[in-house]
Amino acid sequence: MKVAFVGKGGSGKTTLTSLFAAYLTGTGHPVLAIDADINQHLAVALGASAGEASALPTLGEHLPLIKDWLRGDNPRITSAEAMIKTTPPGRGSRLVRPFEDNPVMDACFRDVAGVRLGVTGQFTEDDLGVSCYHSKVGAAELLLNHLVDDAGEYVVMDMTAGADAFASGLFTRFDVTFLVCEPTLRSVGVYRQYAEYARDFGVRLAVVGNKVTDDEDVEFLREQLGSDLVCWLRTSGHVRAAERGRARPIDALEPHNLEALATIRSTVDSASRDWAKFHRQAVEFHLRNARSWGNERTGEDLAGQVDPEFVPGPPALAGA
């Protein structure tokens, strides 16, 4: 299953991403995680040192490799340079599995506390004033469009804050999107904005309350969020210790918070994916981006990259 954590900046979405990833690995499930937040804190949240985190390879710096590998021998894609962040796979494209070994996975992902982690990368000095962060997140979007996960495999992404995710079609790439919400009006406001944008695209949105201190906080979240609220985490000494650099095993997390992680997993496991819809949305956003800027930038009509008879998924992978 593909899972995203979103929310207002500072709401704790990176913390929730790391806790959920640790919970899954602690119960024996393979996890591929991608840090697509501009602040790039997921590696440290998982237990890496600051030095180890800064030494990780990035998806952004390996974008040419990613494009060339995923393109394969798809005749509809004239060159790797003609691929943009939304280019969908077709016959001849390389579909990848989350835990296989291939040049992209070997170059871009590293094991951190039992999680296969990739990071989009921070701004460099050359980026300042000339690039938006979505130029780096585009590498992750391209990879997700070609990533075929199967039963018992989890792909977890820490997304950009607030509604920034809607700057591309990335927000449609997940089976469940968890919005992390503090018991404040500002955080609830981000939820309402996200829910409004996501509604027309059939995004399955669930809300996880965070930084809850008492029953009054719970009642506030229930009043504001209704049935979208699936669980909440209380203020955690376990999390504070980790933020001070003293990581503890996931089974030392407070019982109520462990129950919340179990609820998140059951919510994910109850979802099902329609591969045809998944691909149809990828094509829709590709055509939007092609018309808006892609055709002009590449000098090609990128609508020609769409293979109308192709649907990704395990059957397509088996026939590759």
Side-chain angles (χ1 to χ4, degrees):
M1 306 300 292
K2 293 184 176 75
V3 185
F5 286 87
V6 300
K8 181 180 73 65
S11 63
K13 60 185 181 60
T14 298
T15 297
L16 262 294
T17 305
S18 65
L19 288 175
F20 186 55
Y23 176 80
L24 290 172
T25 58
T27 52
H29 292 86
V31 179
L32 182 142
I34 299 175
D35 188 351
D37 186 11
I38 191 171
N39 293 313
Q40 299 283 277
H41 292 323
L42 183 56
V44 172
L46 287 169
S49 68
E52 290 168 336
S54 65
L56 290 173
T58 70
L59 294 171
E61 69 186 349
H62 288 95
L63 184 57
L65 167 66
I66 293 171
K67 288 182 175 182
D68 190 58
W69 179 256
L70 297 180
R71 175 193 172 210
D73 58 4
N74 185 338
R76 293 177 176 273
I77 303 175
T78 58
S79 68
E81 292 73 22
M83 294 181 75
I84 62 175
K85 64 182 181 179
T86 55
T87 296
R91 285 168 293 181
S93 297
R94 284 194 177 101
L95 301 176
V96 298
R97 297 293 302 271
F99 305 101
E100 71 181 18
D101 292 321
N102 62 49
V104 170
M105 294 300 187
D106 294 345
C108 301
F109 288 81
R110 296 292 182 270
D111 182 278
V112 178
V115 174
R116 195 174 208 185
L117 176 66
V119 302
T120 51
Q122 295 180 321
F123 272 129
T124 66
E125 191 170 314
D126 291 339
D127 294 323
L128 296 177
V130 297
S131 299
C132 73
Y133 192 64
H134 301 288
S135 63
K136 298 184 181 298
V137 176
E141 183 172 357
L142 192 59
L143 184 59
L144 286 183
N145 278 344
H146 292 73
L147 190 66
V148 179
D149 48 310
D150 212 338
E153 298 176 334
Y154 294 86
V155 178
V156 181
M157 181 175 283
D158 182 12
M159 293 277 279
T160 52
D164 282 353
F166 292 96
S168 72
L170 186 60
F171 72 98
T172 66
R173 304 295 83 199
F174 305 99
D175 301 294
V176 185
T177 297
F178 291 99
L179 191 141
V180 182
C181 189
E182 300 169 90
T184 66
L185 287 174
R186 288 182 61 193
S187 200
V188 168
V190 171
Y191 151 74
R192 289 178 175 158
Q193 182 184 43
Y194 206 102
E196 180 180 354
Y197 290 158
R199 186 176 298 115
D200 291 340
F201 294 92
V203 172
R204 183 173 180 181
L205 184 66
V207 184
V208 177
N210 195 32
K211 303 180 184 179
V212 169
T213 58
D214 53 31
D215 291 343
E216 188 174 345
D217 285 346
V218 175
E219 185 60 28
F220 173 82
L221 290 172
R222 283 174 168 162
E223 289 176 352
Q224 297 291 326
L225 306 172
S227 61
D228 282 351
L229 179 68
V230 296
C231 61
W232 58 89
L233 282 81
R234 296 187 180 275
T235 302
S236 170
H238 180 283
V239 170
R240 284 199 300 273
E243 290 173 345
R244 294 170 184 149
R246 297 194 293 272
R248 300 171 179 173
I250 190 64
D251 57 10
L253 187 66
E254 297 84 1
H256 173 84
N257 292 337
L258 279 174
E259 290 175 9
L261 295 177
T263 299
I264 293 173
R265 180 186 161 193
S266 65
T267 303
V268 172
D269 289 347
S270 68
S272 60
R273 181 179 308 150
D274 180 342
W275 279 103
K277 175 185 175 184
F278 183 81
H279 187 63
R280 189 165 57 247
Q281 289 180 325
V283 168
E284 176 184 348
F285 280 98
H286 177 63
L287 295 177
R288 288 188 184 191
N289 279 267
R291 290 190 297 266
S292 177
W293 59 271
N295 292 344
E296 181 177 359
R297 178 173 299 183
T298 62
E300 297 184 21
D301 181 2
L302 298 183
Q305 294 179 343
V306 176
D307 184 341
E309 298 179 12
F310 181 80
V311 176
L317 190 66

